CSV table of all heavy atoms in Angstrom, one decimal:
chain,number,residue,atom,x,y,z
A,116,PHE,N,-2.9,-20.7,19.9
A,116,PHE,CA,-3.1,-21.3,18.6
A,116,PHE,C,-3.9,-22.6,18.7
A,116,PHE,O,-4.1,-23.1,19.8
A,116,PHE,CB,-1.7,-21.7,17.9
A,116,PHE,CG,-0.8,-22.5,18.9
A,116,PHE,CD1,-0.9,-23.8,19.1
A,116,PHE,CD2,0.2,-21.8,19.5
A,116,PHE,CE1,-0.1,-24.5,20.0
A,116,PHE,CE2,1.1,-22.4,20.3
A,116,PHE,CZ,1.0,-23.7,20.6
A,117,GLN,N,-4.5,-23.0,17.6
A,117,GLN,CA,-5.2,-24.3,17.6
A,117,GLN,C,-4.5,-25.2,16.6
A,117,GLN,O,-3.8,-26.0,16.9
A,117,GLN,CB,-6.7,-24.0,17.2
A,117,GLN,CG,-7.7,-24.5,18.2
A,117,GLN,CD,-9.1,-24.2,17.8
A,117,GLN,OE1,-9.6,-24.9,16.9
A,117,GLN,NE2,-9.7,-23.2,18.4
A,118,CYS,N,-4.7,-24.9,15.3
A,118,CYS,CA,-4.1,-25.7,14.3
A,118,CYS,C,-2.6,-25.4,14.1
A,118,CYS,O,-1.8,-26.2,13.7
A,118,CYS,CB,-4.7,-25.6,12.9
A,118,CYS,SG,-4.4,-24.0,12.1
A,119,GLY,N,-2.2,-24.1,14.5
A,119,GLY,CA,-0.8,-23.7,14.4
A,119,GLY,C,-0.3,-23.2,13.1
A,119,GLY,O,0.9,-22.9,13.0
A,120,TYR,N,-1.2,-23.2,12.1
A,120,TYR,CA,-0.7,-22.9,10.8
A,120,TYR,C,-0.3,-21.4,10.7
A,120,TYR,O,0.7,-21.1,10.0
A,120,TYR,CB,-1.8,-23.2,9.7
A,120,TYR,CG,-1.2,-23.2,8.3
A,120,TYR,CD1,-0.5,-24.4,7.9
A,120,TYR,CD2,-1.3,-22.1,7.5
A,120,TYR,CE1,0.0,-24.4,6.6
A,120,TYR,CE2,-0.8,-22.2,6.2
A,120,TYR,CZ,-0.1,-23.3,5.8
A,120,TYR,OH,0.5,-23.4,4.5
A,121,CYS,N,-1.0,-20.5,11.4
A,121,CYS,CA,-0.7,-19.1,11.3
A,121,CYS,C,0.5,-18.7,12.2
A,121,CYS,O,1.0,-17.6,12.2
A,121,CYS,CB,-1.9,-18.3,11.6
A,121,CYS,SG,-2.4,-18.3,13.3
A,122,THR,N,0.8,-19.7,13.2
A,122,THR,CA,1.7,-19.3,14.3
A,122,THR,C,3.1,-18.8,13.9
A,122,THR,O,3.5,-17.8,14.5
A,122,THR,CB,1.7,-20.5,15.3
A,122,THR,OG1,0.4,-21.0,15.5
A,122,THR,CG2,2.3,-20.1,16.6
A,153,CYS,N,-5.9,-15.3,11.7
A,153,CYS,CA,-6.0,-16.6,12.3
A,153,CYS,C,-7.3,-17.3,12.0
A,153,CYS,O,-8.3,-16.8,12.6
A,153,CYS,CB,-5.7,-16.6,13.8
A,153,CYS,SG,-5.9,-18.2,14.6
A,154,ARG,N,-7.4,-18.3,11.2
A,154,ARG,CA,-8.7,-18.9,10.8
A,154,ARG,C,-9.3,-19.7,12.0
A,154,ARG,O,-10.5,-19.9,12.0
A,154,ARG,CB,-8.5,-19.9,9.6
A,154,ARG,CG,-8.3,-19.1,8.4
A,154,ARG,CD,-8.5,-19.9,7.2
A,154,ARG,NE,-9.9,-20.2,6.9
A,154,ARG,CZ,-10.4,-20.9,5.9
A,154,ARG,NH1,-9.5,-21.5,5.1
A,154,ARG,NH2,-11.6,-21.1,5.8
A,155,CYS,N,-8.4,-20.1,13.0
A,155,CYS,CA,-9.0,-20.7,14.1
A,155,CYS,C,-9.5,-19.7,15.1
A,155,CYS,O,-10.1,-20.1,16.1
A,155,CYS,CB,-7.9,-21.6,14.8
A,155,CYS,SG,-7.3,-22.9,13.7
C,4,FES,S1,-4.1,-21.3,14.9
C,4,FES,FE1,-5.1,-22.1,13.2
C,4,FES,S2,-5.0,-20.4,11.8
C,4,FES,FE2,-4.3,-19.6,13.6
Side-chain angles (χ1 to χ4, degrees):
Chain A
F116 46 82
Q117 238 182 74
C118 75
Y120 198 79
C121 71
T122 313
C153 173
R154 288 195 74 180
C155 300

